[in-house]
Amino acid sequence: MSAKTQSIAIVGGGAMGSVFAGLFAATGHDPVVVSRPGEHIEAIAAKGLRLEGASGDRTVTVRAFQVPPNEAYDLVILAVKATQVASALKGLAPMVGRETVILTMQNGLGAADMVTEFFGAERVAVGIAAGFGASVVSPGHARHAGMGAIQIGAYGALSADRISAIAELWRSAGFNAEATDDIVSMQWEKLICNVSFSAPCAISGLTVGAALADPALGEVCMAAGIEAWETARAAGVALRVSDPEAHIRAFAARVAGAKPSLLQDLEAGRPTEVDYINGAVPRAAARMGRTAPVNGVLTALVKSLEGRRAST
C-alpha cells in the first residue's frame, strides 16, 4: 500500500497530535483526529486547524471527532499523554482492524507495554518525536518551535518492511522520519534529553534554554541527563551517545525557547507525565540494584507541586 493511500487516525489532539495532523493534512493526506471533548477539538472541527512554526503557517481542514469512529484504519497514531494511554486504549477497538498498526508516540517509557498488553505485540510500533517543541496557542491553533526527527521501530513482531512503509508515510508528509531496528536505544537517547529539562523546567517555570543557561539549574539539568545516560549504559542499552553533555546541549539549542510538556501541564492544572519521564530512571535503576537520586528527587518535587496545585 502506497504512502498516499493509507488511512490515518491520530488519537490525541493536543500539541503534538496537532502538529502531526496539520502536516499530514497539508500534504494531501486525510487524517482523522480523535480527542476528548474540549475547546481545541471543537475549534478544529468547526473552522480547521492552524499550525504555525518551523514548518510555516497554514490552516488546514481536518476531520475531528470526540468519539472514536467505527472505522478501521491502516495506521493509528497514539498521541495522547502517557497518563491517558490506559483510558484511550479502552475506546480504540472500533478503529483497529486485522491489518492496523498502532504507533505509540508517548514521552518517556512504559506506554508501549500497555498497548502491547491490550492489542498484542504483532501490531505495535513505537515512534519517537524529538525537537519539535509543540504547544497549543489557543483553541484550533498550534505551534511548533522545531522540525525535529521522527524515529520509528517495531516493539514486537512487526516486519522491517511494515516499519519502512510507515517511515515513508511520515516522510511523504514532510517529516524527517527514519526506521530503526533498535527502538529501545532511541527511546533512551530521547529520555536523556527529556529528563534534563522536563522536571527542572516544570519546577522553575523556565524554558529549555533559560534553564540550561541558569548557573545553578543548568547543573541540575546536566546531572539528570547524565544520570539517565549512566543508567541506560548499565542496563546494556546500545546507546550511540558517547558524550551525554554534548547530546543534551545540542537538543537544548534546537528547542531553546520551548516549554517542556511537564511545565505546560502544571501551568494548565493537568496531571503530568513525570512518572514516565524523570520517574522512569529510578525505576530502571532499581531493577539493577542501582539508584538514580537526581531524577528521584526531581520526580518527587514535581509530584509535590502537582499535588499542591490540584488541591487549590
Side-chain angles (χ1 to χ4, degrees):
M1 183 173 286
S2 71
K4 287 294 183 183
T5 60
Q6 291 195 48
S7 56
I8 305 165
I10 300 165
V11 178
M16 284 304 298
S18 295
V19 173
F20 301 156
L23 289 178
F24 274 116
T27 51
H29 297 280
D30 182 26
V32 167
V33 177
V34 183
S35 190
R36 59 185 180 180
E39 292 182 348
H40 186 55
I41 194 70
E42 291 169 1
I44 293 172
K47 60 183 182 181
L49 169 65
R50 180 185 176 191
L51 177 65
E52 65 165 322
S55 64
D57 190 344
R58 86 284 287 155
T59 299
V60 293
T61 299
V62 179
R63 290 187 292 152
F65 300 93
Q66 298 181 30
V67 176
N70 189 15
E71 178 181 350
Y73 293 85
D74 296 313
L75 180 65
V76 174
I77 301 169
L78 196 59
V80 296
K81 298 280 190 181
T83 54
Q84 300 164 354
V85 168
S87 59
L89 289 173
K90 295 175 183 177
L92 210 59
M95 303 171 65
V96 177
R98 291 181 61 184
E99 299 299 321
T100 302
V101 173
I102 303 166
L103 178 62
T104 70
M105 300 290 295
Q106 284 63 52
N107 286 323
L109 304 177
D113 293 324
M114 289 187 276
V115 181
T116 298
E117 183 176 349
F118 206 92
F119 284 107
E122 69 279 0
R123 63 170 73 248
V124 180
V126 174
I128 300 169
F132 282 85
S135 61
V136 173
V137 179
S138 60
H141 180 188
R143 174 185 297 141
H144 62 114
M147 193 64 187
I150 303 283
Q151 291 156 332
I152 299 165
Y155 199 67
L158 275 176
S159 70
D161 287 345
R162 294 293 297 276
I163 295 299
S164 294
I166 295 170
E168 175 57 31
L169 175 65
W170 284 83
R171 286 194 293 270
S172 75
F175 291 93
N176 175 23
E178 63 178 16
T180 176
D181 58 3
D182 188 357
I183 197 64
V184 174
S185 295
M186 301 300 102
Q187 285 182 299
W188 272 98
E189 287 174 9
K190 181 182 179 183
L191 187 68
I192 290 164
C193 296
N194 279 351
V195 301
S196 298
F197 299 105
S198 291
C201 291
I203 294 164
S204 65
L206 297 176
T207 63
V208 168
L212 187 58
D214 182 274
L217 190 60
E219 291 188 10
V220 176
C221 295
M222 280 296 169
I226 291 171
E227 185 177 78
W229 179 80
E230 292 172 342
T231 301
R233 283 171 57 87
V237 177
L239 295 175
R240 299 174 300 176
V241 175
S242 59
D243 184 343
E245 182 170 339
H247 180 64
I248 294 163
R249 290 191 182 280
F251 169 82
R254 292 193 298 269
V255 294
K259 290 183 176 182
S261 61
L262 254 66
L263 174 54
Q264 294 181 44
D265 288 339
L266 273 183
E267 290 179 337
R270 297 186 295 259
T272 76
E273 299 175 293
V274 70
D275 282 330
Y276 298 88
I277 303 175
N278 294 85
V281 180
R283 282 200 307 276
R287 289 195 291 269
M288 300 177 289
R290 295 169 60 95
T291 61
V294 177
N295 282 284
V297 169
L298 287 170
T299 301
L301 289 172
V302 171
K303 291 172 79 70
S304 176
L305 280 174
E306 190 177 349
R308 281 185 281 148
R309 295 193 181 191
S311 65
T312 58

